[in-house]
Amino acid sequence: MPFDASTNVNLGASWLVTQAPDGGLDLRVNPRGRGWVVAGAAALALAWIASSLYTLAAGRPLPLHATPAMAIGIGLLLTAVALWCAFGKEGWYVASNCLEHRVGIGSWRHVRRYRDATLEIVACYNRYGKPYYRLYADLERQRHFLLERRLPELSAWVDLVAGQTGWRRRDTA
């Protein structure tokens, strides 16, 4: 079933749905508000690096009593998180009998492709009894986790993907 904006399932403002050149759909989480996450991650990385360098130059113990190797490792990890927040991309490509989950930065990308699957929404409960919902692609009795969202958003997402792929939907929620 080709994508038609007039019959598009409303995924809400948190999703961007665009037509792919080959007729499929590209689904992405809306990056609106991402700037604050990037700024926070970058500020945390810079604060750690600056405080580590200052205490090292002053001859004091490093923050959290870390060794120099640990301080460098933490600084690199925080920098990597800031770079991922700024440049990382995650999205889904949906076409007839095909769902691809794409994750990467720039030209480096990891793609996981699913074909001939059944979409299954599963209800799970945290230790306080509060439910949360997960979507799985069921391929020959093997479940592959795709997404976790609130039930209304996840249900709309499944309706759109099932309509595009032609796959069945099975709810255990």
Side-chain angles (χ1 to χ4, degrees), residues 86-152:
F87 302 110
K89 291 185 180 182
E90 178 181 26
W92 289 263
Y93 168 76
V94 184
S96 179
N97 195 27
C98 179
L99 176 64
E100 292 181 359
H101 183 212
R102 300 171 175 176
V103 179
I105 293 179
S107 62
W108 177 84
R109 182 169 33 175
H110 175 73
V111 177
R112 187 132 206 208
R113 184 174 292 119
Y114 303 97
R115 294 189 181 277
D116 301 317
T118 300
L119 297 170
E120 182 177 10
I121 296 177
V122 176
C124 304
Y125 298 89
N126 67 14
R127 65 182 177 179
Y128 304 110
K130 183 178 178 185
Y132 59 96
Y133 301 92
R134 290 184 162 184
L135 175 63
Y136 292 91
D138 192 352
L139 297 136
E140 299 175 6
R141 306 276 182 208
Q142 271 192 327
R143 272 188 183 167
H144 298 273
F145 173 75
L146 297 175
L147 192 60
E148 182 177 313
R149 292 285 189 267
R150 284 177 265 142
L151 187 58

Side-chain angles (χ1 to χ4, degrees), residues 6-132:
S6 64
T7 61
N8 180 20
V9 175
N10 184 8
L11 297 181
S14 61
W15 288 94
L16 297 176
V17 181
T18 56
Q19 184 82 40
D22 62 0
L25 294 180
D26 286 317
L27 300 150
R28 284 191 358 194
V29 174
N30 193 340
R32 190 182 74 220
R34 188 176 184 177
W36 289 106
V37 174
V38 173
L44 187 60
L46 287 172
W48 176 264
I49 292 168
S51 69
S52 296
L53 289 174
Y54 175 76
T55 57
L56 193 62
R60 296 184 192 158
L62 288 166
L64 304 177
H65 299 289
T67 65
M70 285 174 49
I72 291 169
I74 292 170
L76 289 173
L77 178 68
L78 291 172
T79 301
V81 168
L83 288 172
W84 172 255
C85 290
F87 302 110
K89 291 185 180 182
E90 178 181 26
W92 289 263
Y93 168 76
V94 184
S96 179
N97 195 27
C98 179
L99 176 64
E100 292 181 359
H101 183 212
R102 300 171 175 176
V103 179
I105 293 179
S107 62
W108 177 84
R109 182 169 33 175
H110 175 73
V111 177
R112 187 132 206 208
R113 184 174 292 119
Y114 303 97
R115 294 189 181 277
D116 301 317
T118 300
L119 297 170
E120 182 177 10
I121 296 177
V122 176
C124 304
Y125 298 89
N126 67 14
R127 65 182 177 179
Y128 304 110
K130 183 178 178 185
Y132 59 96

